[in-house]
Amino acid sequence: MREISYSEAIRESMSQMMREDEDIYILGEDIGVYGGAFGVTSGMIDEFGPERVRITPISEAAISGCAVGSAMTGMRPILEIQFSDFVVIAMDNIVNQAAKMRYMFGGKAKVPMVVRLPSGSGAGFAAQHSQSLEAWMTHIPGLKVVQPSNAYDAKGLLAAAIKDDNPVMFYEHKMLYNVKSEVPEELYEIPLGVADIKREGKDVTIIATGLMVNKALEAAENLEAEGIDVEVIDPRTLVPLDEKTILESVKKTGRVLVVYEAVKRNGFGSEIVSLIAESDAFDYLDAPILRLGGAEAPIPYNPELEKAAIPQVHDIYQKCLELLNR
């Protein structure tokens, strides 16, 4: 199978879906000739034209309002927020409008829109352009939240998100855009709410999200040399969450490490810990559940400090050893 990058997979998914359905269009800042801040939409305006690749003013409030309104009247917009941090300017339209409409109109109104959100640190964009804020959106009933960790998942999950009749927040880690993996040429969907076991093991379960999935897999390879068999679970979608897969893995290994890039306090990993603590899987634990998250500080501009602010492979490695020593 051919290999393409994470950004190419996202572009291919959008393009293939747009060829099938004329109601799908994309909108955002500089997404035309420039191809967006990270080049994800490069070339799409040449195929679909300015009516379906809508270049907008620099106003996240205006862009999100347009997306919500057009979604309610039958279109399927894909909105690109240039950096996920800027979603704060669109919060009223997303949180108080898009997320609530279907409920408030008794199911007679739908808001089928996707909000693409380049997120995370590692690219040297500093405190206002590098945050991981996905946990905010998981707190809002009516929103679905997706966080793919590789190109294959990104293509399939995005296709499913575009077809969904609810607003979907689609988090794309900036450091994954150039990472390649095997991806089929044909269009396919990965259902929302289905986790993936990226690596099977019997000694420790690592539940990781986004870029941390890749770091967890690398740490697991290093631990294998020590005779430690690590299972790595990627939820892929945070809302809806595949609780069954997570709990079955916990029962199998008896030791759990939850890894996420966002600030450790109140990050989505805390919800996973609560899920386990409130289930019968808790009785299978042989050690306390550990969390590994980002530092309680804005993301620094300095490259070495930026690395220190979020979990790295060696941190995951050490936490797994700590779990086993308990």
Side-chain angles (χ1 to χ4, degrees):
M1 194 186 297
R2 53 126 198 205
E3 287 193 347
I4 61 173
S5 70
Y6 189 91
S7 61
E8 289 170 324
I10 292 169
R11 178 165 60 249
E12 187 169 85
S13 186
M14 289 191 292
S15 297
Q16 289 176 333
M17 291 293 291
M18 289 172 72
R19 292 176 197 131
E20 287 192 353
D21 186 348
E22 292 186 355
D23 289 333
I24 300 169
Y25 75 102
I26 60 176
L27 70 164
E29 300 161 12
D30 296 325
I31 63 169
V33 175
Y34 187 66
F38 299 95
V40 177
T41 58
S42 294
M44 292 186 69
I45 196 168
D46 297 328
E47 178 177 357
F48 299 103
E51 289 293 311
R52 297 184 69 194
V53 179
R54 294 234 167 198
I55 306 165
T56 67
I58 303 174
S59 172
E60 284 73 20
I63 303 165
S64 57
C66 178
V68 173
S70 63
M72 290 184 67
T73 54
M75 303 296 286
R76 289 186 177 270
I78 305 169
L79 159 60
E80 178 180 300
I81 299 285
Q82 207 166 65
F83 288 83
S84 68
D85 315 63
F86 303 163
V87 76
V88 296
I89 306 170
M91 287 291 269
D92 182 53
N93 287 323
I94 293 171
V95 172
N96 288 326
Q97 306 302 329
K100 309 285 192 294
M101 286 298 175
R102 196 166 190 182
Y103 171 78
M104 292 175 68
F105 286 88
K108 294 180 180 179
K110 299 184 295 187
V111 190
M113 59 183 273
V114 176
V115 184
R116 292 184 42 245
L117 299 146
S119 68
S121 66
F125 289 127
Q128 296 171 323
H129 299 70
S130 305
Q131 298 170 88
S132 298
L133 302 174
E134 60 279 352
W136 287 9
M137 297 304 172
T138 65
H139 189 68
I140 308 301
L143 297 180
K144 296 187 177 183
V145 183
V146 181
Q147 197 173 26
S149 65
N150 60 66
Y152 176 85
D153 288 350
K155 180 176 178 178
L157 289 167
L158 183 54
I162 294 168
K163 283 192 175 182
D164 201 289
D165 285 335
N166 302 284
V168 180
M169 311 301 288
F170 198 88
Y171 282 89
E172 306 163 7
H173 201 289
K174 297 188 285 285
M175 298 307 292
L176 291 173
Y177 277 136
N178 293 323
V179 178
K180 293 186 176 183
S181 57
E182 292 185 344
V183 179
E185 291 185 30
E186 67 272 9
L187 185 61
Y188 59 92
E189 294 179 42
I190 296 174
L192 306 186
V194 179
D196 191 31
I197 302 173
K198 297 297 186 190
R199 188 183 195 278
E200 293 195 359
K202 65 181 189 316
D203 297 328
V204 181
T205 294
I206 299 178
I207 304 161
T209 57
L211 180 66
M212 293 298 118
V213 175
N214 299 271
K215 293 183 184 294
L217 288 169
E218 187 175 342
E221 290 296 318
N222 296 339
L223 287 160
E224 187 176 32
E226 305 285 336
I228 300 167
D229 195 12
V230 178
E231 182 150 293
V232 178
I233 305 291
D234 178 2
R236 298 198 291 198
T237 62
L238 308 185
V239 179
L241 181 65
D242 184 353
E243 299 180 2
K244 183 172 182 253
T245 298
I246 291 170
L247 297 177
E248 285 178 350
S249 180
V250 173
K251 291 177 181 180
K252 180 168 70 170
T253 67
R255 288 179 169 83
V256 184
L257 172 64
V258 185
V259 186
Y260 50 102
E261 182 173 331
V263 173
K264 180 181 176 181
R265 182 184 60 197
N266 293 329
F268 188 73
S270 302
E271 178 64 24
I272 295 175
V273 172
S274 297
L275 165 69
I276 297 166
E278 293 174 353
S279 74
D280 63 345
F282 182 81
D283 296 330
Y284 291 76
L285 292 174
D286 296 319
I289 307 167
L290 295 184
R291 283 182 298 152
L292 182 58
E296 292 194 18
I299 298 294
Y301 176 67
N302 177 280
E304 294 306 312
L305 291 177
E306 184 178 27
K307 287 180 185 176
I310 65 167
Q312 302 296 334
V313 174
H314 63 86
D315 300 314
I316 301 172
Y317 179 93
Q318 291 297 331
K319 279 292 183 182
C320 283
L321 291 181
E322 181 182 335
L323 260 178
L324 287 161
N325 288 335
R326 290 192 182 190

